[in-house]
Every structure is written in C-alpha cells, then in structure tokens.
Amino acid sequence: MLAEWPLLHESATQAEDMAHTDARSASFYARRTLELAVAWLYKHERGLRMPYQDNLSTLIHEPSFARAVGGAVFTKTKVVKDLGNRAVHSARKVLPADAVVATRELFHIGYRLARTYGQRGRPDPGLAFNPALLARSAAAAPAVPPQTGGQLQKLQTQLAERDERLSTLLGTSAALDAALARLREAVAAAKRANADTPDTPDTHDYSEAQTRDYFIDLLLKEAGWQLDAKQNFEIKVSGMPDSKGLAQGKGFVDSVLWGDDGQPLALVEAKRTKKGAKVGQQ
C-alpha cells in the first residue's frame, strides 16, 4: 500500500500507532484513511456514480459503491465511519478495544482495495490482521498527549480544506480531462487483471460475522448502553426446545439489556440477513 497509496499508508499507520495509547485519535485516523480510500475510488473507478453530496456517509451509501466493494466491505466502512464520528463528536470515552476494531476493519478494507486495484501485485491471500502488532507499534511510537474531541474537530476541518473536492472534480464531464481518463483506464486494466476467477479466488477471511456482531454493539453504545462482556453477552437460558421438541434444552441469548432494577428489558439476537426474521425467536 505504501508504494501505490502513500497518503492512505501514512494515515493508517497513525491509526495503528495510537490504537493503545490514544483510542480517540486512532479511530479518527482510521476514518480519515477511509475518507482518502473512498475519494480515490470515486476518482478512479469508472463504475461509481457521484451522489448529490460528497461527504463520507453519502458516498459510501451510494448504491454503486456498495456494489463495487461488496457487502462485507461495505459493512466495515460503516463501522469505521461511525467509530470515527464518535471519536470526534461524542464526549463518551473511546476504548482501546474500539480503536482495535477500527484498525481491524480498516485492514480488511485496505486488503480489498489492494487486491482489486493494485497495479504492482496482489496481497498474499493468507495475510491476516494481527492485533499484537498494534501493541508493538504503540510501544515504538513517540509519546504524544491524547487529543480531545475538540482538537480532532479542528484537525478534521483543516484536513478537509486541503482535500480535493470530488463534487468539483467530477461534477461535469469536462472535468474528466485526458490525464484523469488515462488514470481510469489504467485502474480499469488493473481491476480486470486482478478479477477473481476459479483459479484465483479471493480466499481472504474478511471476518464478516465478527463485523456484524460488533456493529450491533456499536449501535447499542450509541444509544447509551454501557455494555459488559459478562453481564450483557451470551447469557445462558433454559427451556429451549431440544432435538425432541421438549422445552428442556439450554441456549444462549446474544445480548441482554438490563434495567436498573436488575430485570431484563430487551433481548438481541443477531442472524444473517439471508435468514428469516423469526429465526432465533424462541
């Protein structure tokens, strides 16, 4: 990534370096890297349609973007975006665990970008996210005081002023000059060369289930729930139907939300979107 996307590499490295020392800034830089990656795609990928606005949320929710990156990566972009937004605009504490998730999802996004559009070779299919490297990176990085949300808001404004405005660049056909047209053709050629085939399938583990589970946790956190691994997740219940249909089996609820009186207020059960809404109702 360093050779072909140096700005993305620089920003992603900052996210990695701060994951354990400044989770708020790490989440900010993960989102910043995503912004740069999405802007690169809209500039170079001919199959993307420019939406009515060029902010990150609108860009990733444009249907042509979701089709281009695939469902697994699309969900990851939403996680990174939302974690970055919380880091900048929320006063709630950002945990190192959240920063690790942001860098993990960014890793998979970067992998797909390099596999699809890389012109200097594909990444190794066996390449995997290694959270242990984040701790080493944090130990080697110089000590810097953690940034506040206000400081990151100011930095975000400064960076946005320097960024290329996609709405201006791609707003008219005249903007697609000969140089940009040549760039798009080169990227299209790389994409064709890198396309998945039966001989070279994409076997990378994009950890889709892990992402889905965390996305639900993130939504609950945004709603104000303070989640605890022992109290809220994988709660054992009895009375589940066994193989004979008798209500004597044991099961687990994905998440339980408790009231102040110690009584359960709500249950959360996650299933793949391809499954019916009633699956898991019992």
Side-chain angles (χ1 to χ4, degrees):
M1 181 173 284
L2 174 59
E4 297 195 48
W5 296 280
L7 290 179
L8 272 68
H9 181 270
E10 178 185 0
S11 185
T13 299
Q14 288 177 298
E16 293 173 353
D17 289 346
M18 298 178 181
H20 287 289
T21 59
D22 186 354
R24 189 177 297 276
S25 292
S27 299
F28 167 84
Y29 278 108
R31 185 188 188 281
R32 168 68 179 166
T33 309
L34 175 63
E35 284 182 320
L36 294 171
V38 170
W40 186 93
L41 279 170
Y42 270 91
K43 182 176 178 180
H44 294 88
E45 169 57 74
R46 294 184 299 191
L48 294 184
R49 295 178 55 190
M50 189 66 193
Y52 63 95
Q53 289 181 321
D54 61 1
N55 62 70
L56 180 60
S57 182
T58 305
L59 291 171
I60 68 173
H61 284 93
E62 157 57 36
S64 61
F65 178 83
R67 288 194 297 269
V69 302
V73 172
F74 171 64
T75 302
K76 294 175 187 301
T77 64
K78 293 197 295 181
V79 170
V80 174
K81 173 187 71 69
D82 289 350
L83 281 171
N85 287 347
R86 286 184 69 234
V88 175
H89 301 294
S90 174
R92 295 194 183 103
K93 183 178 178 62
V94 180
L95 301 175
D98 294 324
V100 170
V101 169
T103 54
R104 181 191 73 204
E105 303 298 33
L106 185 64
F107 166 84
H108 293 298
I109 295 168
Y111 180 93
R112 188 61 191 176
L113 178 72
R115 177 178 172 83
T116 306
Y117 299 99
Q119 300 182 47
R120 303 183 187 183
R122 288 177 168 183
D124 186 341
L127 191 63
F129 178 74
N130 184 357
L133 296 178
L134 297 179
R136 295 181 201 169
S137 180
V144 178
Q147 298 290 291
T148 66
Q151 289 172 317
L152 292 177
Q153 285 184 38
K154 183 177 180 180
L155 177 59
Q156 180 173 270
T157 301
Q158 293 171 343
L159 292 173
E161 290 172 351
R162 287 167 28 193
D163 289 345
E164 209 168 38
R165 295 290 297 181
L166 287 172
S167 56
T168 301
L169 177 68
L170 306 177
T172 64
S173 58
L176 298 177
D177 57 18
L180 182 55
R182 286 195 298 270
L183 282 175
R184 286 188 162 193
E185 182 53 42
V187 167
K191 184 179 179 181
R192 290 192 296 269
N194 293 336
D196 298 340
T197 68
D199 294 330
T200 57
D202 184 358
T203 57
H204 179 73
D205 181 7
Y206 288 95
S207 64
E208 293 184 59
Q210 200 173 22
T211 304
R212 283 194 303 270
D213 291 344
Y214 181 80
F215 192 67
I216 294 170
D217 297 347
L218 179 59
L219 293 173
L220 293 174
K221 288 180 181 180
E222 289 179 344
W225 290 96
Q226 300 298 317
L227 303 176
D228 178 84
K230 293 182 179 180
Q231 294 182 351
N232 297 104
F233 304 122
E234 293 298 315
I235 305 302
K236 190 174 182 179
V237 293
S238 59
M240 299 290 288
D242 58 17
S243 59
K244 297 180 180 180
L246 302 176
Q248 59 187 24
K250 303 293 183 181
F252 293 87
V253 178
D254 285 349
S255 303
V256 177
L257 305 180
W258 303 92
D260 293 337
D261 58 0
Q263 298 299 311
L265 292 177
L267 311 178
V268 180
E269 187 72 16
K271 298 297 179 188
R272 291 176 178 269
T273 53
K274 66 177 65 174
K275 291 184 177 291
K278 292 185 177 180
V279 175
Q281 183 176 1
Q282 175 68 36

